[in-house]
C-alpha cells in the first residue's frame, strides 16, 4: 500500500464519492447525488484506490459491488465521514446559543407558506443566529442529508433507508381531483374525464410524478394525452387555464389558491393515492427543534389549507 497520498487528492471528498457509489450501487446516481459529473466521481474513486493501492469496486458486475477491501473501506469511510460531520456540527454550534447555525431543506411546494413561521421559531425560541433555507424536491433532500449539507429537512420522503436520523410526522394527505373551474363534465370517472381533458401532472423525474405514474399503472388506466411539469405552480397554472386536469394534494395546491387560480377540487374517484410530509434530522443534534418544526409546519399548513380550500381540503388531510 502506498503511504503517500498526492497533495491534489481530496481524501474526504473521495470517501464521500466512494460511500455514495456503494449505497446507490451506480456511479451515475452517486455523481448526481453529490452534484458532480460522472467523470469527476470516477476520478475521485480512482484517486482513492490509487492512494491505498487497492481495488475497492468490482467493475465487472452490475449493479456495482465492493471487493473485500472495499467492504473494509466502506466501514472505515462511513465512520470517518460521520466524525467529520460531527466535528463540523459541534464547531458550528459553538457560541452563546446551542444552535448558532441552522441549515434547512424544505419542499418547494410549501416553502413560501412555512418559511416565515419556521424562521421566527428558530430565532425566537432556539436562538438561532444564522439560518439558510433551500427549497427543492425530496430527491434534493436526500443529497443534502447524505452530504451533511442540511441539518434538517421537511420532505415527502422519510428516508427509512438511512441510519442515524430522527423523524417527526407532520401530516398525511390524500390526492384530490383538480379540474378547471369552467369544467362541466362528469367528475366520478377518470376514464370519462380523460376523454375530455388531458392529464397534467408532475414529471417522471419527480417523486410525485413517479408515484402518480405507478398508481395509474395499478389502475390499468391509459392516459392518451399528457402534459408534464416539475413544479406544482406550473401544473396548477395549466389546469387553471383549462389545458387539462390533475391530481394534487392540498399542500401542493396552496400556492395556486393563494394566487387565486380558478380551480375546482373534488375527492379523487379512486382510492389509495396519498403522501406524507415528515421532518427529518440527524439524531439528537438539534434537541427539541425538529419536533417543534414539525408542529409549527403542521399548524401552518392546516390553517392555510382550511383558508384556501375549506372542508374539501381539510378532509384530505390527517394529522
Amino acid at each position: 500500500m502506498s503511504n503517500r497520498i498526492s497533495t491534489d487528492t481530496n481524501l474526504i471528498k473521495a470517501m464521500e464519492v466512494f460511500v455514495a457509489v456503494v449505497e446507490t450501487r451506480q456511479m451515475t446516481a452517486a455523481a448526481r447525488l453529490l452534484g458532480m459529473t460522472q467523470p469527476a466521481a470516477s476520478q475521485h474513486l480512482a484517486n482513492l484506490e490509487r492512494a491505498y493501492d487497492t481495488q475497492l469496486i468490482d467493475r465487472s458486475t452490475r449493479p456495482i459491488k465492493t471487493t473485500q477491501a472495499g467492504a473494509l473501506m466502506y466501514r472505515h469511510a462511513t465512520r470517518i465521514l460521520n466524525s467529520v460531520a460531527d466535528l463540523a456540527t459541534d464547531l458550528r454550534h459553538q457560541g452563546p446559543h446551542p444552535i448558532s447555525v441552522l441549515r434547512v431543506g424544505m419542499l418547494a411546494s410549501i416553502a413560501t407558506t412555512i418559511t416565515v413561521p419556521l424562521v421566527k421559531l428558530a430565532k425566537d425560541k432556539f436562538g438561532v443566529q444564522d439560518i439558510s433555507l433551500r427549497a427543492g424536491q425530496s430527491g434534493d433532500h436526500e443529497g443534502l442529508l447524505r452530504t451533511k449539507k442540511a441539518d434538517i429537512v421537511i420532505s415527502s420522503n422519510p428516508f427509512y433507508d438511512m441510519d442515524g436520523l430522527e423523524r417527526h410526522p407532520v401530516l398525511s394527505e390524500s390526492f384530490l381531483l383538480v379540474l378547471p373551474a369552467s369544467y362541466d363534465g362528469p367528475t366520478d370517472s377518470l376514464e370519462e374525464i380523460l376523454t375530455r381533458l388531458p392529464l397534467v401532472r408532475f414529471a417522471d423525474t419527480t417523486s410525485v410524478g413517479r408515484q402518480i405514474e405507478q398508481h395509474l399503472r395499478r389502475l390499468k388506466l391509459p392516459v392518451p394525452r399528457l402534459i408534464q411539469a416539475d413544479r406544482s405552480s406550473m401544473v396548477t397554472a395549466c389546469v387553471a387555464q383549462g389545458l387539462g386536469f390533475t391530481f394534487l394534494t392540498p399542500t401542493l395546491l396552496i400556492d395556486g389558491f393563494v394566487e387565486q387560480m380558478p380551480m375546482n377540487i373534488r375527492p379523487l374517484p379512486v382510492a389509495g393515492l396519498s403522501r406524507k410530509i415528515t421532518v427529518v434530522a440527524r439524531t439528537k443534534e438539534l434537541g427539541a427543534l425538529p419536533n417543534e418544526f414539525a408542529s409549527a409546519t403542521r399548524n401552518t399548513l392546516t390553517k392555510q389549507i382550511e383558508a384556501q380550500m375549506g372542508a374539501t381540503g381539510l378532509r384530505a388531510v390527517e394529522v
Side-chain angles (χ1 to χ4, degrees):
M1 178 189 296
S2 170
N3 291 321
R4 185 172 181 176
I5 298 176
S6 172
T7 56
D8 64 357
T9 298
N10 184 330
L11 184 59
I12 297 299
K13 177 58 70 176
M15 285 186 178
E16 286 182 348
V17 170
F18 171 69
V19 168
V21 169
V22 173
E23 292 182 349
T24 63
R25 305 182 76 183
Q26 289 184 341
M27 187 68 70
T28 302
R32 187 185 310 116
L33 189 65
L34 297 173
M36 63 177 65
T37 64
Q38 191 271 339
S42 297
Q43 186 60 53
H44 278 296
L45 182 58
N47 286 342
L48 189 63
E49 291 181 320
R50 187 161 49 249
Y52 289 95
D53 194 23
T54 188
Q55 184 178 345
L56 302 173
I57 296 293
D58 183 353
R59 292 169 174 79
S60 67
T61 63
R62 291 292 182 275
I64 286 174
K65 293 181 180 179
T66 61
T67 62
Q68 186 174 353
L72 180 63
M73 172 64 77
Y74 177 75
R75 291 198 296 273
H76 283 281
T78 52
R79 186 167 63 249
I80 290 168
L81 293 175
N82 285 335
S83 295
V84 170
D86 290 343
L87 172 61
T89 297
D90 289 344
L91 290 175
R92 287 190 300 105
H93 291 172
Q94 291 302 303
H97 303 280
I99 307 171
S100 58
V101 179
L102 184 67
R103 301 167 301 177
V104 184
M106 59 181 67
L107 291 165
S109 56
I110 60 175
T112 302
T113 303
I114 66 174
T115 289
V116 171
L118 294 188
V119 169
K120 287 182 176 179
L121 175 63
K123 288 185 170 293
D124 295 345
K125 187 166 184 176
F126 293 92
V128 175
Q129 299 298 293
D130 298 313
I131 183 167
S132 64
L133 306 163
R134 297 179 65 170
Q137 300 169 6
S138 60
D140 304 315
H141 300 156
E142 181 179 3
L144 292 175
L145 288 171
R146 287 191 184 276
T147 58
K148 311 297 194 295
K149 292 179 180 178
D151 305 301
I152 185 170
V153 301
I154 300 141
S155 182
S156 58
N157 187 340
F159 305 107
Y160 288 127
D161 60 330
M162 295 176 63
D163 296 328
L165 300 175
E166 59 181 84
R167 300 164 181 87
H168 301 268
V170 174
L171 54 80
S172 175
E173 53 180 354
S174 300
F175 280 74
L176 294 165
L177 175 64
V178 188
L179 297 156
S182 59
Y183 178 79
D184 60 0
T187 60
D188 58 352
S189 168
L190 293 182
E191 290 88 346
E192 288 292 331
I193 298 171
L194 281 166
T195 64
R196 292 165 169 79
L197 291 171
L199 177 64
V200 185
R201 67 167 176 82
F202 275 84
D204 292 335
T205 54
T206 67
S207 59
V208 172
R210 290 190 293 272
Q211 184 180 3
I212 292 173
E213 174 63 22
Q214 291 165 5
H215 199 66
L216 291 172
R217 285 200 195 115
R218 286 194 293 270
L219 295 173
K220 295 182 173 55
L221 186 65
V223 180
R225 296 175 295 166
L226 182 65
I227 301 170
Q228 296 190 55
D230 66 356
R231 288 289 184 271
S232 59
S233 58
M234 299 163 72
V235 174
T236 51
C238 287
V239 173
Q241 290 299 314
L243 300 179
F245 77 103
T246 192
F247 316 139
L248 289 177
T249 65
T251 64
L252 290 168
L253 283 163
I254 288 175
D255 285 351
F257 276 102
V258 168
E259 294 180 20
Q260 299 184 334
M261 295 182 185
M263 294 178 289
N264 180 5
I265 60 170
R266 296 172 176 268
L268 196 62
V270 292
L273 188 57
S274 64
R275 74 167 186 170
K276 294 181 179 180
I277 297 178
T278 306
V279 169
V280 182
R282 288 192 290 279
T283 302
K284 297 181 179 179
E285 285 193 2
L286 299 175
L289 186 143
N291 188 53
E292 293 276 357
F293 261 38
S295 179
T297 299
R298 183 184 309 113
N299 292 338
T300 301
L301 291 176
T302 53
K303 286 179 181 177
Q304 189 69 285
I305 290 167
E306 181 177 24
Q308 301 298 334
M309 289 161 255
T312 301
L314 279 183
R315 280 195 293 268
V317 174
E318 292 184 16
V319 298

